Amino acid sequence: MTCLNSRDDCLAMDARDPLAPLRARFDLPDGVIYLDGNSLGARPRAALARSQQVVAQEWGRDLIRSWNSAGWFAMPKRLGDRLAPLIGAHAGEVVVTDTTSLNLFKALAAALAIQQQNNPARRTIVTERANFPTDIYMAEGLTRWLERGYRVRLVDSPEELAGAVDDDCAVLMLTHVNYRTGRRHDMAALSALAHARGALALWDLAHSAGAVPLDLHGDGADFAVGCTYKYLNGGPGAPAFIWVPQRHQAAFSHPLTGWWSHAQPFAMAHGFAAAEGIGRALCGTQPVLSLALVECGLEVFEQTDMAAIRAKSLALTDLFIALVEARCARHPLGLVTPRAHAARGSHVSFTHPHGYAVMAALIERGVIGDYREPEIMRFGFTPLYTSHADVWDAVEVLRDILDNERYDIHAARGAVT
């Protein structure tokens, strides 16, 4: 893509943008350029009225009857079916429930149980050292709890994965788009590698769902989890999702056997009997208000498609990279996000020796990105509400901060996120 020469060029791009009308579906504060949707998505305008409806009417007036009359009980599966097309899943294969960490634990436990039946000698979970820490923590915690010789093997680069997926590997557990760098794995190739070596492929889609097109079936994944509060705009701490394809549902089992995953939850039986289908991936009583807000985010996606979202994402990230490198060339910025489209998610990361201070200064000026160690400034681009003019303006603020050293390298460190 050619770097646009002026803000007017960016405005002209916005005028031709088929997704531009969707920006009005979000409540974005004045004076803010929001480039952190990869960490927490903006609020859909519909969320406020929906939350009031749940609290005032469904809970306040209809009380416990709303589990049936308002469809509360069916929400995890209903939302899963609405989310499924965004990740290349089928109806009846996704539930929105619990947290990403808990869902990862379930999926990983189920994968190991399947391997215990089919390939009992396989005891290793392979993942990247650069994976999001909670994924590694959950895998390590599960292996310690099992106490049967299971272990986690960490590799230091994607190039080492082929050698690490050996005869001892039970599960290849990867995050599709790296949370620091924005590097995107080839899901189809790595899932095929896992299967060729007798392993199962488990994918974390936290930085992919709603940002890049996904085809879990076509790419041969075995299980997947992800969150709804980033690109899916479900709200802070919104419930996550788990995908279990039909081919694995009968064998899907995990130790978090709460009453919502029981075949007859209201029978109050003394013994556990797993539900049929995707219901096995549930656990306990669901957070109704949070689930209701997830639906507001999903409704916006039904006004477009992932191909259009991806096209704009690449245009925005290409533009940002080009403008930063052209207008901030004399500063020690290092691009860590891949330039190749096939290897990129929807956020761009640059390093700077004073990245924390620079990001704090950007946020103070109304350009909200975030910071990750070491020295990484992350900028997320959500095509549903980010404009080309936003990109131009954000880079202009960054240029001014860097050119005039308008940042405090001695400022006390806190959370810049």
Side-chain angles (χ1 to χ4, degrees):
M1 172 183 161
T2 302
C3 179
L4 302 183
N5 294 316
S6 70
R7 191 174 191 276
D8 286 342
D9 290 339
C10 292
L11 291 171
M13 287 283 290
D14 290 332
R16 298 191 297 271
D17 174 19
L19 298 185
L22 296 180
R23 183 181 175 101
R25 300 286 297 271
F26 294 89
D27 189 15
L28 296 164
D30 293 335
V32 168
I33 299 172
Y34 193 59
L35 302 181
D36 207 9
N38 55 307
S39 206
L40 174 65
R43 178 174 72 84
R45 289 188 182 276
L48 181 58
R50 179 67 178 118
S51 64
Q52 291 172 332
Q53 178 187 25
V54 174
V55 172
Q57 179 61 44
E58 296 176 8
W59 177 23
R61 299 295 181 186
D62 296 337
L63 297 166
I64 200 169
R65 292 171 293 183
S66 287
W67 284 109
N68 295 314
S69 62
W72 287 357
F73 192 81
M75 285 177 75
K77 294 180 182 179
R78 186 177 77 247
L79 294 180
D81 285 348
R82 293 189 80 165
L83 192 153
L86 302 179
I87 60 175
H90 299 155
E93 294 185 334
V94 182
V95 283
V96 177
T97 184
D98 296 328
T99 66
T100 306
S101 298
L102 289 177
N103 287 336
L104 183 76
F105 181 91
K106 297 175 204 171
L108 195 54
L112 292 180
I114 290 171
Q115 290 288 49
Q116 183 64 30
Q117 290 294 318
N118 300 326
N119 300 289
R122 293 179 176 271
R123 298 296 174 95
T124 301
I125 300 164
V126 173
T127 192
E128 296 178 285
R129 196 179 304 277
N131 202 350
F132 192 68
T134 196
D135 291 25
I136 299 173
Y137 301 159
M138 295 303 285
E140 290 175 337
L142 178 59
T143 59
R144 286 194 300 269
W145 178 78
L146 288 171
E147 293 184 339
R148 290 188 232 152
Y150 287 97
R151 70 186 185 103
V152 178
R153 180 176 179 181
L154 304 177
V155 302
D156 291 312
S157 71
E159 291 72 28
E160 296 178 38
L161 289 171
V165 182
D166 56 18
D167 292 342
D168 192 48
C169 179
V171 182
L172 176 61
M173 180 187 76
L174 296 171
T175 297
H176 186 225
V177 173
N178 184 273
Y179 79 102
R180 278 196 184 99
T181 66
R183 177 170 179 164
R184 177 187 178 190
H185 279 303
D186 185 334
M187 183 183 292
L190 288 169
S191 296
L193 168 70
H195 294 162
R197 306 282 175 83
L200 296 173
L202 166 57
W203 291 92
D204 183 336
L205 309 178
H207 287 272
S208 304
V212 300
L214 292 161
D215 183 6
L216 292 173
H217 279 286
D219 287 347
D222 290 294
F223 303 100
V225 300
C227 63
T228 64
Y229 54 78
K230 300 184 192 301
Y231 295 104
L232 296 177
N233 309 299
F241 65 87
I242 180 169
W243 170 73
V244 182
Q246 291 177 1
R247 70 180 186 278
H248 285 317
Q249 288 179 3
F252 188 84
S253 65
H254 60 85
L256 304 181
T257 48
W259 75 301
W260 274 55
S261 59
H262 196 284
Q264 294 181 298
F266 295 101
M268 304 299 172
H270 292 295
F272 180 78
E276 294 294 325
I278 192 59
R280 292 171 176 239
L282 295 169
C283 182
T285 307
Q286 301 300 303
V288 170
L289 182 56
S290 295
L291 285 169
L293 300 190
V294 170
E295 196 154 25
C296 297
L298 294 177
E299 286 170 352
V300 182
F301 282 88
E302 293 172 356
Q303 307 304 308
T304 183
D305 58 61
M306 289 307 304
I309 288 172
R310 180 59 172 169
K312 185 176 177 182
S313 167
L314 291 173
L316 293 170
T317 50
D318 278 346
L319 176 62
F320 184 74
I321 292 169
L323 288 175
V324 169
E325 292 185 334
R327 304 186 69 81
C328 305
R330 66 187 186 87
H331 299 286
L333 293 164
L335 177 66
V336 296
T337 301
R339 295 180 190 275
H341 287 179
R344 185 195 309 167
S346 200
H347 70 268
V348 175
S349 297
F350 279 94
T351 58
H352 187 278
H354 302 300
Y356 178 90
V358 173
M359 181 54 70
L362 282 165
I363 293 172
E364 183 68 21
R365 295 273 295 271
V367 178
I368 301 180
D370 66 18
Y371 175 82
R372 293 291 180 266
E373 295 289 357
E375 301 183 349
I376 291 178
M377 300 184 294
R378 295 193 316 177
F379 302 88
F381 299 88
T382 305
L384 296 176
Y385 53 77
T386 306
S387 69
H388 298 83
D390 285 339
V391 176
W392 180 275
D393 293 342
V395 175
E396 278 300 286
V397 174
L398 176 63
R399 180 197 59 76
D400 178 65
I401 288 171
L402 294 175
D403 283 355
N404 297 289
E405 296 187 8
R406 302 184 193 275
Y407 55 90
D408 182 4
I409 63 173
H410 302 296
R413 289 202 169 208
V416 175
T417 182

